[in-house]
Amino acid sequence: MESGPAIFAGAVFALFGGALLVWTVTRVRHGEPVAHGVNPVASAALASLVSVIALTLAAWCLTRV
C-alpha cells in the first residue's frame, strides 16, 4: 500500500526528466534557444541539470518500492 505513492512520484519524475532532456538535446542540436531571452549556454546547462536531477529523484523513488 505504501509503495503506490513512490511508484507514482518516480514515474512522474522519470517522465518529466526524460522529456526535458530530450527537448533540450533537440533544441541544442538544431541550434535553437532553449529559453528565449537567456544566454543559450546557461539555459541549456540549467535545463540539463534539472532533467538529471529529476531522473535521479525518479531512480531514488523507484528504489524505495
Side-chain angles (χ1 to χ4, degrees):
M1 249 343 189
E2 296 172 1
S3 64
I7 294 170
F8 178 75
V12 169
F13 279 128
L15 287 173
F16 174 73
L20 182 60
L21 189 60
V22 167
W23 181 77
T24 303
V25 168
T26 302
R27 299 289 285 186
V28 169
R29 283 193 181 192
H30 289 152
E32 299 173 356
V34 176
H36 294 288
V38 183
N39 183 355
V41 175
S43 63
L46 182 62
S48 299
L49 178 67
V50 169
S51 65
V52 168
I53 289 172
L55 290 172
T56 304
L57 284 172
W60 181 78
C61 286
L62 292 174
T63 58
R64 300 294 173 210
V65 173

